[in-house]
């Protein structure tokens, strides 16, 4: 309610408030990507500096740049050692945050019920409980690249779209956990795109080579462009499945105003994940990207904070749904 | 879910599985074709960073976060996707008629950290154990005695048929100079010929890094073999 009020007030003041949300989202995504470039460079610089390797620092443009930036600082280490890691495991000072999928993988492979490592996923888990797949839409560096692939797909006018079952990703998650328990080895890390993006950037910047993940990721991008729209996030991603499960009873939901909605389906077309926000069937898969909210030309779609309605979905014109029942002018079925 | 829905779900599941298999196999194939392998000199093996759990438990615990590689002050921790070793040529009889063709050992990395001591060796700064979030690398205090007691990345072995003083080729002693536990882990006799004392060697590989021979006369034998599994208790 608060968010909705805030959003609609903003919208009244500046037409296109939902566009501002998109600007914010893109900024965050680009910031994450920039960090994935910056962290390996900073750590490389830090290590070269520890070795007093002036020649090494001067021989690369990126470390030279860092050197020029931090050379005059009182305490350069405070900056160059501030953050480490990637979205898989992020370390800022003493604070360690890791992906819940990493923790699931760790628990399954090492078959321990408790470890200090589990605490590191607390913050993302809490966020997902409240907001659902918010990581997917707002922080995941792979999502940004997949969305770019989607743009390329639209631009090239490719219509082929092979669909699969959306439950498959939950099956992938379950199969991976079973495989990890049996093999005693972690399986998700090598196929999880956000980690792959971070890891490959690290390998490229530090060693000048890519690992196996780069090929996997490129194959995925090609598959998404030519065969199946947003294939990975919609059908396969075990991380997305985990976030969706965590966000089963989340508080941030989309709400359709049945009076304003003209059933033009612009929102459904704009949804990258192929969901049905107009019919209220965005389910657990919605990653809060807000593209549908921006697409709606009638201000009929908005976010709200609250428990899911008793019917399970905020379906447009659904008799059990509190909104629709209380509103006259219910559209004819 | 009725029967038809279930069947269509199964069909879609099969399609996804097929796409996944094609993607994975394709990436394997691309990787085999395009990623150059790290070439290891004869008898060299990759080793784990200091404080690593025993191999099986290490693989289970390491979450592949690459943090240890980022903080490694010697920049020795690598995440190779493929390492190709070769047979030690000196194990063969020099004039043998029949050449034994032995497949070179290949280690497939899986984004877990390795040290390739013939390229860069560990300088025992113990930052990696401190940063590791999963405890796959145990934290060890930066202190000579503690490190000597706790760290066993492997044991250095000298190939006396190659080593310069042992073959009476020249004076050397580079390994003795580089060893952080010199005169304990490595000693030289009155002719300058080095000997490793396994009870004191922490396996840091600094001796391997400095050995001036291209086909290193000294190698660190890890307490596990990535191609054979654990062969020796830690
Ligand atoms: S102890 Fe230091 S030098 Fe050795 S592997 Fe760990 S971080 Fe690198
Ligand atoms: S820091 Fe620990 S968990 Fe992370 S890659 Fe290194 S050994 Fe694995
Ligand atoms: S003998 Fe070699 S591996 Fe062993 S402690 Fe000395 S330098 Fe390190
Ligand atoms: S550095 Fe190599 S060649 Fe020189 S003494 Fe040591 S093992 Fe022999």
């Amino acid at each position: 309610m608060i968010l909705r009020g805030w959003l609609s007030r903003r919208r009244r003041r500046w037409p296109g408030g939902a566009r501002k949300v998109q600007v914010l989202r893109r900024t965050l995504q680009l910031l994450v990507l920039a960090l994935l470039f910056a962290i390996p460079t900073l750590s490389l610089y830090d290590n070269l500096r520890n070795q007093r390797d002036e020649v090494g620092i001067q021989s690369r443009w990126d470390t030279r740049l860092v050197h020029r930036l931090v050379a005059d600082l009182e305490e350069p280490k405070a900056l160059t050692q501030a953050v480490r890691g990637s979205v898989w495991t992020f370390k800022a000072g003493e604070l360690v945050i890791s992906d819940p999928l990493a923790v699931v993988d760790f628990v399954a492979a090492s078959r321990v019920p408790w470890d200090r490592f589990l605490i590191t996923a607390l913050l993302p888990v809490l966020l997902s409980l409240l907001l659902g797949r918010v990581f997917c839409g707002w922080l995941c560096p792979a999502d940004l690249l997949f969305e770019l692939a989607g743009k390329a797909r639209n631009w090239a006018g490719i219509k082929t779209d092979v669909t699969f079952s959306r439950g498959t990703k939950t099956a992938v998650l379950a199969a991976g956990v079973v495989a990890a328990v049996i093999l005693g080895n972690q399986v998700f890390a090598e196929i999880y795109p956000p980690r792959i993006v971070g890891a490959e950037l690290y390998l490229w910047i530090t060693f000048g080579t890519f690992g196996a993940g780069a090929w996997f990721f490129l194959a995925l991008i090609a598959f998404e462009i030519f065969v199946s729209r947003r294939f990975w996030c919609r059908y396969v991603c075990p991380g997305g499945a985990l976030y969706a499960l965590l966000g089963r009873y989340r508080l941030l939901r989309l709400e359709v105003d049945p009076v304003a909605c003209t059933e033009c389906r612009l929102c459904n077309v704009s949804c990258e994940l192929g969901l049905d926000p107009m019919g209220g069937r965005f389910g657990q898969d919605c990653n809060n990207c807000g593209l549908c909210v921006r697409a709606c030309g009638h201000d009929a779609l908005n976010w709200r904070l609250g428990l899911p309605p008793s019917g399970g979905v905020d379906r447009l014109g659904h008799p059990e749904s509190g909104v629709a029942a209380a509103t006259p002018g219910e559209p004819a079925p | 879910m009725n029967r038809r829905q279930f069947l269509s779900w199964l069909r879609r599941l099969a399609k996804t599985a097929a796409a996944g298999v094609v993607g994975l196999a394709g990436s394997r194939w691309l990787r085999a074709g395009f990623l150059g392998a790290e070439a290891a000199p004869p008898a060299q093996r990759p080793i784990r960073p200091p404080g690593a759990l025993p191999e099986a438990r290490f693989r289970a615990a390491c979450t592949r976060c690459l943090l240890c590689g980022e903080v490694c002050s010697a920049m020795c921790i690598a995440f190779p996707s493929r390492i190709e070793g070769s047979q030690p040529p000196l194990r063969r009889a020099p004039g043998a008629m029949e050449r034994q063709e032995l497949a070179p050992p290949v280690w497939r990395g899986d984004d877990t950290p390795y040290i390739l001591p013939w390229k860069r060796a560990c300088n025992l700064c113990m930052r990696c154990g401190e940063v590791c979030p999963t405890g796959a690398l145990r934290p060890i205090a930066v202190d000579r005695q503690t490190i000597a007691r706790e760290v066993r990345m492997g044991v250095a072995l000298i190939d006396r048929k190659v080593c310069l003083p042992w073959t009476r080729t020249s004076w050397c002693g580079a390994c003795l100079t580089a060893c952080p536990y010199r005169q304990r882990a490595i000693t030289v006799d009155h002719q300058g010929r080095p000997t490793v004392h396994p009870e004191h060697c922490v396996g840091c590989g600094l001796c391997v890094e400095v050995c001036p021979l291209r086909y290193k006369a000294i190698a660190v034998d890890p307490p596990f073999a990535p191609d054979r599994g654990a062969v020796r208790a830690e």
Side-chain angles (χ1 to χ4, degrees), chain A residues 39-40 43-44 46-48 50-51 53 77 81 83-86 88-91 94 96 102-103 105-106 109-111 115-117 120 162-168 171-172 184-187 189-191 195 198-200 202-203 206-207 209-213 215-216 219 223 231 235-236, chain B residues 8-20 22-24 26-28 30-36 38 56-81 109-112 119-120 123 127 130-136 139:
Chain A
I39 289 174
S43 67
L44 183 65
D46 195 46
N47 292 332
L48 288 174
N50 272 342
Q51 297 175 12
D53 188 353
K77 285 200 172 133
Q81 300 186 342
V83 283
R84 287 285 181 269
S86 60
W88 187 243
T89 303
F90 180 76
K91 189 166 185 293
E94 289 304 302
V96 182
V103 167
D105 217 4
F106 172 82
S110 54
R111 305 169 198 139
D115 189 276
R116 219 160 28 92
F117 184 49
T120 59
V162 186
T163 57
F164 305 89
S165 166
R166 224 182 277 142
T168 316
V172 170
N185 199 344
Q186 303 196 7
V187 295
E190 280 172 278
I191 59 160
R195 197 207 80 101
E200 295 305 319
Y202 165 74
L203 292 180
T206 315
F207 303 106
T209 55
F210 287 112
W215 295 110
F216 179 67
F223 193 78
F231 167 72
Y235 313 119
V236 195
Chain B
S8 93
W9 183 78
L10 266 190
R11 201 159 46 234
R12 292 202 271 175
L13 185 67
K15 275 197 285 182
T16 313
V22 169
L24 278 176
S27 79
R28 269 281 147 85
L30 284 169
R31 165 195 191 175
F34 288 92
L35 286 181
E38 294 277 353
R57 277 175 60 209
F58 180 83
R59 274 174 188 267
C62 170
T63 180
R64 283 86 161 144
C65 64
L66 317 184
L67 276 171
C68 50
E70 281 183 7
V71 300
C72 177
S73 65
M75 298 200 289
C76 63
I77 295 185
F79 302 88
S81 43
D110 51 358
D111 280 356
T112 48
K119 299 184 79 179
R120 275 167 181 276
N123 64 15
R127 284 194 191 183
E130 188 193 314
V131 80
C132 179
T134 59

Side-chain angles (χ1 to χ4, degrees), chain A residues 12-25:
Chain A
R12 241 174 282 126
R13 217 180 303 156
W14 301 290
R19 197 139 80 244
K20 291 222 161 48
V21 175
Q22 290 309 307
V23 172
L24 184 64
R25 185 168 80 95

Side-chain angles (χ1 to χ4, degrees), chain A residues 38 42 72 89 97 133 255:
Chain A
L42 285 177
D72 304 332
T89 303
I97 302 172
R133 284 177 77 170
E255 183 185 56

